[in-house]
C-alpha cells in the first residue's frame, strides 16, 4: 500500500536515491551467459540459452537486490508508485517476446536482435523516473549498436550482440554508481544544511 502522506515528488526522490544496480547486474550476467553459449553451443542450445538466461533476469535481479541495498522483496518498506512503474516496464520487456518469437521462427539468428533491442526499451522510462540521462543513453546506444552489430557480424550474432550488450551494461553500471554517489552526497549536504 502506498503511504498517502507521501507525495509523488517524495516517492520519486526515494526511488531515485536507490542504487539501481540489481537489474543491470542481472542483465550483465544473463547476456554474458548467452555470449558464452554462442561460443560453445549448437544453434538449438544457443536459442535455449538466450531464452532461459534473459527470461531469468528478473529472478537474478531479485537475488542481486539483496546485496545492492535495493531488496525488492522487502515487504516492510513503504510501497512506492515508481517501484510499481519500474516493475511494469520490466513486465513490458517480457511481453515483447511475443514479437521476438515469430521472427525467431522465420530466422533463429534474429533472436539476439529482437530480444536485445526490445528488452532494452525499459531503460527509457527509467531515465524519466530518475531524471538522469543514463537510461536514454543505454536504450539508444543499445538499439543502434545491436542493429549495426546484427548486420556487421551475421555469422556471429549469438556472440557479438550479447557481448556488446554486456559492454553497454558495464558502462551503464559505472554511470549508475557515479549517479548514486552524487545523489548520496547531495542528500548528505541537504541534511547538514
Amino acid at each position: 500500500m502506498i503511504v498517502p502522506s507521501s507525495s509523488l515528488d517524495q516517492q520519486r526522490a526515494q526511488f531515485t536515491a536507490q542504487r539501481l544496480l540489481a537489474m543491470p547486474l542481472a542483465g550483465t550476467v544473463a547476456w554474458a551467459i548467452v555470449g558464452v553459449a554462442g561460443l560453445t553451443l549448437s544453434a538449438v542450445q544457443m536459442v535455449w540459452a538466450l531464452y532461459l538466461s534473459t527470461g531469468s533476469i528478473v529472478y537474478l535481479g531479485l537475488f542481486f537486490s539483496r546485496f545492492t541495498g535495493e531488496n525488492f522483496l522487502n515487504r516492510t518498506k513503504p510501497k512506492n508508485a515508481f517501484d510499481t512503474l519500474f516493475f511494469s516496464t520490466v513486465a513490458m520487456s517480457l511481453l515483447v517476446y511475443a514479437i521476438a518469437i515469430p521472427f525467431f521462427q522465420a530466422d533463429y539468428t534474429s533472436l539476439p536482435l529482437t530480444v536485445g533491442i526490445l528488452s532494452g526499451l525499459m531503460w527509457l522510462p527509467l531515465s524519466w523516473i530518475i531524471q538522469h540521462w543514463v537510461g536514454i543513453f543505454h536504450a539508444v546506444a543499445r538499439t543502434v549498436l545491436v542493429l549495426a552489430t546484427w548486420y556487421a557480424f551475421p555469422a556471429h550474432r549469438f556472440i557479438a550482440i550479447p557481448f556488446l550488450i554486456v559492454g553497454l551494461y558495464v558502462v551503464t553500471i559505472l554511470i549508475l554508481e557515479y549517479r548514486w554517489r552524487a545523489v548520496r552526497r547531495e542528500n548528505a549536504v541537504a541534511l547538514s544544511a
Side-chain angles (χ1 to χ4, degrees), residues 134-157:
V134 67
I136 295 168
F137 157 76
H138 187 91
V140 172
R142 186 163 162 169
T143 299
V144 170
L145 294 174
V146 165
L147 181 61
T149 302
W150 191 80
Y151 280 114
F153 302 101
H156 302 289
R157 290 172 175 160

Side-chain angles (χ1 to χ4, degrees), residues 13 29 35 41 48 65 73 76 109-110 126 159 161 163 165 178 183 193:
V29 169
L41 301 178
W48 278 108
S65 75
L73 297 177
T76 61
T109 70
S110 70
L126 178 69
I159 301 164
I161 291 172
F163 287 128
I165 293 172
Y178 179 80
V183 168

Side-chain angles (χ1 to χ4, degrees), residues 24 89 92-93 112-128 130 132-148 161 164-165 167-173 175-176:
T89 67
M92 174 195 70
S93 292
L113 170 76
T114 56
V115 174
I117 291 174
L118 295 170
S119 62
L121 296 178
M122 65 173 285
W123 283 91
L124 286 174
L126 178 69
S127 234
W128 176 83
I130 65 172
H132 190 277
W133 54 268
V134 67
I136 295 168
F137 157 76
H138 187 91
V140 172
R142 186 163 162 169
T143 299
V144 170
L145 294 174
V146 165
L147 181 61
I161 291 172
L164 166 74
I165 293 172
L168 283 170
Y169 270 126
V170 169
V171 171
T172 301
I173 288 167
I175 295 167
L176 284 170

Side-chain angles (χ1 to χ4, degrees), residues 50-189:
L50 190 143
Y51 277 129
L52 293 173
S53 295
T54 59
S56 69
I57 289 174
V58 172
Y59 304 107
L60 285 169
L62 292 172
F63 173 75
F64 286 134
S65 75
R66 300 182 74 197
F67 305 102
T68 61
E70 298 164 81
N71 200 357
F72 298 146
L73 297 177
N74 181 358
R75 296 181 190 260
T76 61
K77 72 178 184 178
K79 296 275 186 190
N80 185 308
F82 294 97
D83 286 328
T84 304
L85 177 59
F86 174 73
F87 281 106
S88 294
T89 67
V90 172
M92 174 195 70
S93 292
L94 293 173
L95 291 174
V96 299
Y97 280 86
I99 296 171
I101 291 170
F103 287 101
F104 150 75
Q105 290 175 330
D107 176 5
Y108 81 94
T109 70
S110 70
L111 205 53
L113 170 76
T114 56
V115 174
I117 291 174
L118 295 170
S119 62
L121 296 178
M122 65 173 285
W123 283 91
L124 286 174
L126 178 69
S127 234
W128 176 83
I129 294 171
I130 65 172
Q131 298 175 318
H132 190 277
W133 54 268
V134 67
I136 295 168
F137 157 76
H138 187 91
V140 172
R142 186 163 162 169
T143 299
V144 170
L145 294 174
V146 165
L147 181 61
T149 302
W150 191 80
Y151 280 114
F153 302 101
H156 302 289
R157 290 172 175 160
F158 276 87
I159 301 164
I161 291 172
F163 287 128
L164 166 74
I165 293 172
V166 167
L168 283 170
Y169 270 126
V170 169
V171 171
T172 301
I173 288 167
L174 293 171
I175 295 167
L176 284 170
E177 183 67 10
Y178 179 80
R179 180 209 66 87
W180 178 70
R181 289 174 189 223
V183 168
R184 285 182 58 201
R185 279 192 302 275
E186 289 170 15
N187 289 343
V189 168

